[in-house]
Every structure is written in structure tokens, then in C-alpha cells.
Amino acid sequence: MKSNATADQSVSQAFELARERYASLGVNVDRALKALATIPISLHCWQGDDVGGFENFGGALSGGLVATGNHPGKARTPDELRADLEKAYALIPGKHRLNLHAFYGEFGGKKVDRDAIAPEHFKNWIAWAKQNGLGLDFNPTCFSHPKSADGFTLSNRNKGIREFWIEHCLRAREIGAAMGKALGKTCVTNVWIPDGMKDTPADRQGPRSRLAESLDAVFARTINPKWNLDAVEPKLFGIGSESYVVGSHEFYLGYALSRNKMLTLDAGHYHPTEGIADKLTSVLEFMPEILLHVSRGVRWDSDHVVVLNDDLLAIAREIVANDFTDRVHIGLDYFDASINRVAAWTIGTRNMVRALLIALLEPTDRLRTAEAAGDFTTRLALQEETRTLPFGAVWDYYCASQGVPVGEAWLAEVKTYEKEVLSKRP
Ligand code: RNT
Ligand code: ZN
């Protein structure tokens, strides 16, 4: 085993060499690292407990969401979830955020239905976020509830049910604003609903018209955009909504543009060969900001842990090369119950940050100069050579300088945590 001092030394030596190599391509590594440290990732609380939530009457997970696996140690209480999150944040370089779903409120053992949630149910989360310097994001929870059992929420043909979900979403926006105000960091509240049909609908229009009307009611109340920004999340298909999703891509694109809302692009929500990277410059041409749910679909919207694949690199590349870091809110969305859940957060988030670093180290000027000159040979040659530049050395250095474990050293910490904490949860 190397001593810490020797390990530190080899990290900085490798970094110095990498810095020179990048400088020879006109890439300023120090500037890249500075920029990287300012990009927050919103970790999704629901990886910690398989999208379970903390209601006292909640039903089983529904809405087409499925968390498969039975790895021991899922968080059963808000305190456990916070402890697990603290562990993950300590292993991820940079300052980040937490994305909460409404059914993670703390209801003191009482049955507080979704149309009665209020900021007070999130006061512990807000205090904890403040203590840890985290921003918060929020989501109404329009699934795992008796009133979503027939597969329809905001687009339900029953007026009373629509009103119930309108009230829930309205309250969610107010909770988002309370979070943003308390923390001094704008909250993004994202509306996703499961509404759709397994088989071919006879009426595709009715539910969409009702959804538009319900959303207008949800957004009718003005909320200070300094504290809360609204986003809507489309999807093309899901489990139980294979043939029809009310809130499709075109529906929400039109809605977001006409109502001045943010569009959420979830990497798992499109057809298997359709990436979201190319959508960024398209939609940002017409709307100021968007939210991402970075995920990994395997065959379908399976919400696998984010890995460092071409899709992820392409997303990060489009954010960075187009200078969109202030206009793209980056959140994660996956849930894997088959592996250690703290590791799942750590792997996915470290990959997101790593992909952003690789993007920040791209010799974009040279690529664009070649392209502008019509020299596509040089463009392709450089793109391919760039793949094996020594970004790993820069990444290690970044982790060390941010005070988090370098390389796979974080895994030992997760294993210890599993042994000492997670394995003791029945
Ligand atoms: C579902 C959407 C949605 C959920 C979370 C839990 O397909 O991606 O974002 O995953 O709200
Ligand atoms: Zn999503």
C-alpha cells in the first residue's frame, strides 16, 4: 500500500503532465476545474429507498415505476435517508443539491393526504439542507396513491380527482418556493404524471385537453420565480402506458413554450436510439431554461444507474460546449435496488461530474475551427484523439482538491458504511 503522501504526490505529478498535454491543445485545465466546481447536480432522494416515501398510508409504488432488487439497507426513515445522503455527498466532489418528492415529507405519524401537504412537513429537510449547504428541488408525487389507481391524475375524467391533484401540485409549488426562500437558492419543482393507457385509446384528445386545463389551474397562482421555477416532464411510453402517454413530448413542448415553463428532458423517456443531447440546442433556442433528468434506459425507461457512456458524454458536451451551464438544471433520475444505494448515488453522480469535466476539457475551439473550414477530417480525427486524453489524471486531482476519495477509494468507505450501518437495518 502506498502511503498517503506518495499517493498525493503521484496524483499531482500525473496532473501536471496532463495539464501540459491539454495546454498543448489550447485547453486551460485550471479554468475547467474552476468552472466544474460551480455546476451543481441535484441528487434524487428516491434512489435511497426505492421510491418508497414516508407517508403512513402509502400504497405500493405505481405509475409504471419499478425498482427491482432487494439489496439490504434501504432507508426507512427520513433520518436514515439523510444519513445515507450525507455519506454519498462526502464521496462526490463539489457542492450539490437534493431533489425531494412530496411523499418524503415528515408527517409525524399522521395521515396527511397529498392535498394537505405544506411547508411545515419539510422543515427538517430544509434545516438539514441549510446545515449542509445544499439547495433543494421538489416534485409533486402523482403516483402510489389510491386517487391515481386508474392511471389518471391531472387528466382524469373525474373532476373531483383532477381537483385533488391540482391542489397537490399547487401546494408542491408553494413548498418549492418555501424551500427556495429559506435556502436562498431557487428551487425547481417538476411535474411528472403517470397518465396514459396500456392499449390503443379511442380518445387521445380528451385527456390532453383536460391535462392542459388542469396545468393552467396549477400554474394560475403566481409564485416568485426567484424562489421557485416550474418544470413539466414528458415521456413517450411507460409500463402500463405503452400505447399512449397523455403528457407526451410534443404536448409538453407546446405547453412549456406557450406558458413559459421549463421542459424536463429525461434521458430514459425516448425511443431507445433517441438521445436527449441533441434536444438541448433545439429547445434552448426557444426557452430560457430546462431541467434534465439524467438517467440510463436499458431497452426501456428502466432507470439504470448513470454510467460514463457516449450518451452521458454527449449530454455533458452539449451543456458545456454551448455555454448552457446557467440554463440547464441537472438532476438525476434512476433507482436501482439491486446494489448498495449509497454506491448507486455515488457512481451516478461522480459520472455526471466526470462527464462535465471531460466536456470542459474538450478542445472545442479547434473542433469548431476545423468544422467552419469544412475540414471534417480534422474534426473527426480530433474528436477521436480527444477520447483518450488524460482526463483521468485531472479527475483524480479534482477529487483530491475537493477533499473526496480519489479513484475507487470511495468504495471502501461505502463498504464500511454498509457493514456498520446499512446491514443493521432489518
Ligand atoms: C417517471 C419520471 C419521473 C420519476 C420521478 C420519481 O418516468 O421519470 O421523473 O422517475 O418523479
Ligand atoms: Zn424523470
Side-chain angles (χ1 to χ4, degrees):
M1 252 267 237
K2 283 192 211 158
S3 73
N4 277 347
T6 326
D8 288 355
Q9 212 186 18
S10 62
V11 167
S12 23
Q13 278 169 353
F15 173 69
E16 292 306 332
L17 292 173
R19 177 156 54 184
E20 277 174 36
R21 179 81 178 86
Y22 280 107
S24 74
L25 291 164
V27 175
N28 184 327
V29 169
D30 299 299
R31 200 184 302 148
L33 290 182
K34 241 190 174 156
L36 186 61
T38 66
I39 310 177
I41 311 299
S42 197
L43 272 75
H44 51 314
C45 75
W46 51 93
Q47 166 58 57
D49 75 332
D50 314 339
V51 209
F54 300 127
E55 283 170 335
N56 307 295
F57 59 100
L61 182 59
S62 76
L65 310 178
V66 193
T68 50
N70 57 358
H71 195 86
K74 85 167 173 191
R76 297 158 304 168
T77 65
D79 285 335
E80 288 182 353
L81 189 56
R82 284 188 278 265
D84 295 355
L85 280 161
E86 280 174 32
K87 189 77 226 172
Y89 286 118
L91 305 173
I92 298 161
K95 264 277 148 232
H96 300 289
R97 305 175 59 87
L98 177 69
N99 193 7
L100 273 176
H101 240 286
F103 70 164
Y104 286 83
E106 287 167 80
F107 307 108
K110 287 196 208 82
K111 177 179 164 150
V112 177
D113 211 343
R114 303 265 172 94
D115 61 346
I117 55 163
E120 70 204 58
H121 303 124
F122 295 87
K123 63 175 195 292
N124 295 345
W125 281 112
I126 294 171
W128 175 81
K130 196 174 250 171
Q131 240 169 42
N132 289 277
L134 301 164
L136 288 176
D137 296 304
F138 201 57
N139 307 259
T141 308
C142 302
F143 51 82
S144 304
H145 188 280
K147 288 198 164 70
S148 69
D150 68 353
F152 294 89
T153 61
L154 290 175
S155 76
N156 203 294
R157 58 174 72 240
N158 177 310
K159 185 158 180 272
I161 292 187
R162 287 202 302 281
E163 280 166 359
F164 174 86
W165 291 112
I166 289 169
E167 182 64 27
H168 175 61
C169 291
L170 250 171
R171 284 167 177 261
R173 296 177 65 222
E174 275 169 355
I175 293 165
M179 290 172 164
K181 195 165 180 193
L183 300 170
K185 297 179 185 193
T186 316
C187 172
V188 177
T189 297
N190 174 55
V191 176
W192 173 75
I193 57 163
D195 303 27
M197 290 193 212
K198 182 183 176 80
D199 229 327
T200 314
D203 178 11
R204 290 178 184 267
Q205 187 184 24
R208 289 191 171 133
S209 298
R210 290 194 290 270
L211 176 55
E213 199 184 299
S214 292
L215 288 168
D216 285 347
V218 167
F219 297 126
R221 199 168 302 163
T222 313
I223 285 185
N224 189 342
K226 198 169 161 202
W227 306 133
N228 183 72
L229 289 171
D230 303 303
V232 288
E233 183 180 5
K235 183 166 181 167
L236 301 190
F237 52 84
I239 297 178
S241 58
E242 289 84 356
S243 304
Y244 174 67
V245 170
V246 183
S248 64
H249 184 70
E250 289 74 11
F251 176 91
Y252 277 128
L253 181 61
Y255 191 86
L257 282 173
S258 58
R259 272 47 167 202
N260 197 21
K261 298 294 162 201
M262 275 197 265
L263 188 72
T264 301
L265 296 173
D266 184 310
H269 284 192
Y270 296 86
H271 289 297
T273 59
E274 183 181 3
I276 61 165
D278 181 57
K279 300 186 193 297
L280 270 61
T281 39
S282 299
V283 298
L284 286 172
E285 195 61 36
F286 303 102
M287 62 176 74
E289 295 176 46
I290 58 169
L291 170 65
L292 298 186
H293 271 188
V294 181
S295 188
R296 176 167 55 108
V298 175
R299 304 194 186 281
W300 48 280
D301 172 33
S302 57
D303 295 283
H304 278 61
V305 178
V306 166
V307 296
L308 192 65
N309 59 13
D310 282 352
D311 289 341
L312 184 67
L313 291 169
I315 292 167
R317 198 262 160 198
E318 289 304 304
I319 297 173
V320 169
N322 298 298
D323 230 346
F324 286 156
T325 47
D326 291 337
R327 298 174 61 194
V328 177
H329 301 259
I330 307 173
L332 303 175
D333 183 10
Y334 54 79
F335 22 99
D336 189 338
S338 74
I339 62 173
N340 181 299
R341 294 168 184 80
V342 176
W345 272 318
T346 308
I347 293 166
T349 316
R350 282 176 68 109
N351 276 332
M352 185 70 240
V353 179
R354 190 165 15 215
L356 289 164
L357 172 63
I358 293 170
L360 284 159
L361 294 173
E362 181 192 83
T364 310
D365 291 345
R366 289 189 63 176
L367 291 168
R368 289 192 169 167
T369 304
E371 184 169 276
D375 185 357
F376 301 153
T377 310
T378 297
R379 182 184 63 187
L380 182 61
L382 280 179
Q383 279 169 336
E384 292 310 296
E385 288 304 322
T386 300
R387 285 182 186 266
T388 49
L389 285 175
F391 60 81
V394 182
W395 167 249
D396 285 349
Y397 176 82
Y398 182 64
C399 288
S401 66
Q402 291 281 329
V404 307
V406 170
E408 78 284 6
W410 64 265
L411 183 58
E413 293 199 28
V414 170
K415 292 282 184 191
T416 306
Y417 188 70
E418 176 158 295
K419 196 160 149 234
E420 288 172 0
V421 181
L422 301 177
S423 68
K424 305 213 164 109
R425 294 179 190 164

